[in-house]
Amino acid sequence: MTFNATTQVLSELTADCRVVFVGADSTMGNSAQQLDKASGGIISRILALGDFTGKFGQTQLLPEAGELNGRLLLVGTGKAEELKEGQFRTLVKNLISAVKDTKIASLALSLDDIELKGRDFNWKARLLAENTVTTLYVFDQMKSKQADPSALTGIILSAPGAEAAVQQALNTGAATGEGMNVARTLGNLPGNICTPVYLAEQAQELGKDFDELTVTILDENQMAELGMNSLLSVAKGSVEAPRLITMEYNGAGSDTKPHVLVGKGVTFDSGGISLKPGEGMDEMKYDMCGAASVFGTMQVLKQLKPKINVVGVVAAVENMPAGNASKPGDVVTTMSGKTVEILNTDAEGRLVLCDALTYIDKFNPETVVDIATLTGACIIGLGHHASGLLSNDDTLAAELLSAGLDANDKAWQMPLWAEYQQQLDSNFADIANIGGRPAGTITAACFLSRFTEDYRWAHLDIAGTAWHSGKEKGATGRPVPLLTQYVLSKVDINA
Ligand code: BES
Ligand code: MN
Ligand code: ZN
């Protein structure tokens, strides 16, 4: 897909199809009126018929454009005062869906006729590109026959007077969309294919033709050497070998401290000896979506090459029951030296992350964000709209919240107060790996906080946002937009 910002107005440029936004009660904005004139009035004639009213979500593809060549696509934007930014995404989805199975290869549009309170043209351009790329995504590589790719390969955005900035917004949006699609594919792949070793291979693959990226893979022996007994205690019941994957992106030179992203990469979470119920267990292939979001963000960096340093770390293991698996009551010594009583083998994410969070201290991080499908409790608390955010640093938390808002990929903060820490007291070790039913998301973060005392750290619980269940089952690619927005906000524009 290519995205181009142009100085030309819609009627002047060449494209297979031009998009016309129509407001409620068939109202036309400036761009629509211009196009109507240039086409010889075909839009007003169609609107006069009354079939197309401009209701939100309505689309109609006209095979002709009157005196202009190509086609016209009418897209209803509804009542201007009711159009919210969340709906802008739906609008782009509808628009792309209306043409993606046609022969249309190039689509031209202007966004002038869409008013969104508090959002400028560049925001709309970025989200347009991102959602175009994600709408065209298909995951059918596990089917015996693959669908033909969409004919749509280019979008031309008319933006007279502001092309350079708009082009940059389009590039960022397109890269974000590609990054989300990378994350979705890794998430959607089944556990028998997307194993820890497979993830390590994908990291190496990403490193090809990418000089700024250094990939390092640790196997179980190297992890044992480092004392990562907690991570290894999760892996040991599985025949799939664990991997600790490090992807160092250097875009700012070695003097700049990196922002570190740590992803939970449980490629399948059966619960281990504390076995999960069978219903819906297939969805635990998505338990590596935190890792997938790190890969997705690295993909964005590959495309945009911003002047920042980012280290992506993925702790990849499979959690299975077996004769040699960890048992409830087992005590392990983490890389930090702290001991943990494993009261529930299904609280494995924190066991894996704690060693990864100790390991990354060696990068002398500016900030650390871990991303994990950590607790079912997070879905109870926040549902599927916001990721859970917990942090030991209020400035970092505020930056992530604002990145989420700006990227249309929201998070919501929960407290990490000291009062909750005592739920993790153990009679037999320094810490227990579960804190009981109350505040499950918070006590999981409390557990992690014991290993992140030396740096500014935030935790994103994406259990409710990383994938959809039911008929639309599939990975969402979240929180790649939030992470992208966050790391890009760290680019020093004066450098
Ligand atoms: N991967 C799960 C969390 C999860 C569950 C995410 C359902 C999305 C949907 C995690 O490893 C887990 O099993 N957590 C337990 C923790 C409990 C044992 C303290 C949970 O949430 O039930
Ligand atoms: Mn689990
Ligand atoms: Zn899990």
Side-chain angles (χ1 to χ4, degrees):
M1 253 331 261
T2 60
F3 295 88
N4 283 305
T6 170
T7 50
Q8 290 170 298
V9 294
L10 271 188
S11 52
E12 281 171 3
L13 48 80
T14 325
D16 291 346
C17 180
R18 286 167 240 263
V19 180
V20 189
F21 293 109
V22 179
D25 306 320
S26 310
T27 46
M28 284 192 271
N30 280 339
S31 289
Q33 282 174 22
Q34 263 175 24
L35 213 49
D36 187 40
K37 223 192 234 147
S39 72
I42 187 170
I43 303 169
S44 27
R45 281 204 301 282
I46 297 279
L47 293 179
L49 296 174
D51 302 335
F52 193 92
T53 59
K55 202 171 76 186
F56 181 82
Q58 207 180 4
T59 59
Q60 188 170 345
L61 184 60
L62 310 182
E64 289 187 72
E67 286 161 26
L68 291 166
N69 46 29
R71 313 164 181 76
L72 287 176
L73 174 68
L74 306 185
V75 176
T77 56
K79 292 202 176 100
E81 65 278 13
E82 284 174 15
L83 190 66
K84 300 271 151 47
E85 56 181 69
Q87 284 163 309
F88 183 71
R89 240 175 75 213
T90 314
L91 204 71
V92 176
K93 279 203 164 114
N94 291 344
L95 184 167
I96 298 299
S97 302
V99 298
K100 75 175 168 37
D101 297 323
T102 68
K103 299 276 184 238
I104 294 168
S106 57
L107 203 57
L109 69 160
S110 153
L111 291 169
D112 282 336
D113 289 351
I114 298 184
E115 274 285 350
L116 280 179
K117 254 215 191 92
R119 294 304 187 189
D120 59 11
F121 197 97
N122 291 350
W123 188 91
K124 289 183 281 183
R126 170 157 58 83
L127 276 268
L128 167 76
E130 176 192 308
N131 288 288
T132 298
V133 171
T134 54
T135 304
L136 291 172
Y137 174 84
V138 254
F139 180 76
D140 60 4
Q141 63 191 86
M142 293 290 117
K143 307 226 179 191
S144 55
K145 272 204 191 74
Q146 279 76 45
D148 293 332
S150 170
L152 185 65
T153 51
I155 294 217
I156 308 155
L157 180 58
S158 166
E163 311 84 61
V166 171
Q167 186 62 52
Q168 207 183 348
L170 288 172
N171 295 350
T172 304
T176 306
E178 307 282 0
M180 291 172 80
N181 288 351
V182 163
R184 289 162 85 187
T185 294
L186 290 174
N188 288 332
L189 282 168
N192 61 329
I193 290 177
C194 185
T195 61
V197 168
Y198 179 88
L199 286 177
E201 287 164 3
Q202 294 312 299
Q204 249 133 15
E205 200 62 37
L206 191 73
K208 285 187 187 153
D209 311 314
F210 191 2
D211 291 341
E212 295 84 353
L213 197 78
T214 311
V215 178
T216 321
I217 313 287
L218 299 188
D219 64 18
E220 56 269 57
N221 295 327
Q222 291 163 302
M223 286 190 268
E225 197 83 6
L226 288 167
M228 299 184 148
N229 302 306
S230 181
L231 184 153
L232 292 170
S233 78
V234 177
K236 73 179 190 169
S238 168
V239 296
E240 301 294 347
R243 291 290 183 266
L244 188 78
I245 304 161
T246 303
M247 297 171 274
E248 289 172 73
Y249 169 75
N250 189 320
S254 48
D255 294 343
T256 314
K257 288 164 101 188
H259 296 277
V260 179
L261 307 176
V262 180
K264 171 181 173 183
V266 176
T267 57
F268 187 74
D269 179 15
S270 68
I273 295 298
S274 312
L275 192 65
K276 287 184 181 293
E279 197 187 315
M281 207 207 266
D282 65 290
E283 295 191 7
M284 282 299 115
K285 72 174 181 180
Y286 291 118
D287 213 16
M288 35 57 69
C289 281
S293 74
V294 174
F295 277 98
T297 307
M298 294 323 250
Q299 171 65 40
V300 176
L301 298 176
K302 186 173 186 168
Q303 224 157 304
L304 298 179
K305 304 273 172 71
K307 290 192 171 63
I308 36 169
N309 290 342
V310 180
V311 178
V313 171
V314 163
V317 302
E318 186 181 64
N319 185 24
M320 293 292 270
N324 61 343
S326 290
K327 302 168 290 294
D330 284 2
V331 174
V332 294
T333 304
T334 63
M335 183 178 173
S336 73
K338 289 181 179 161
T339 61
V340 174
E341 185 185 14
I342 303 173
L343 286 170
N344 189 319
T345 65
D346 197 12
E348 86 297 340
R350 59 199 83 178
L351 295 174
V352 170
L353 286 172
C354 71
D355 280 341
L357 287 167
T358 302
Y359 175 77
I360 56 97
D361 199 35
K362 73 176 203 161
F363 296 111
N364 189 22
E366 182 68 42
T367 65
V368 178
V369 180
D370 80 74
I371 311 100
T373 48
L374 206 62
T375 63
C378 193
I379 310 177
I380 305 302
L382 296 175
H384 299 285
H385 301 295
S387 302
L389 169 68
L390 299 103
S391 179
N392 64 10
D393 185 291
D394 281 336
T395 309
L396 174 59
E399 286 176 3
L400 289 164
L401 288 172
S402 120
L405 281 172
D406 206 26
N408 206 1
D409 182 11
K410 288 187 280 240
W412 191 254
Q413 193 175 3
M414 295 184 192
L416 197 62
W417 294 323
E419 290 90 324
Y420 293 98
Q421 293 281 354
Q422 67 206 33
Q423 285 176 242
L424 296 173
D425 289 350
S426 159
N427 286 356
F428 305 104
D430 298 340
I431 330 168
N433 82 325
I434 52 170
R437 296 230 333 137
T441 303
I442 296 174
T443 55
C446 283
F447 182 95
L448 299 178
S449 76
R450 308 286 184 102
F451 301 88
T452 60
E453 283 156 357
D454 295 340
Y455 45 71
R456 299 169 63 204
W457 157 79
H459 160 65
L460 285 168
D461 194 328
I462 57 166
T465 52
W467 76 91
H468 296 300
S469 306
K471 205 170 162 292
E472 302 278 285
K473 193 188 284 184
T476 60
R478 293 179 68 181
V480 170
L482 182 158
L483 295 172
T484 297
Q485 200 66 25
Y486 172 67
V487 296
L488 291 184
S489 77
K490 297 298 175 186
V491 177
D492 181 358
I493 44 173
N494 303 311

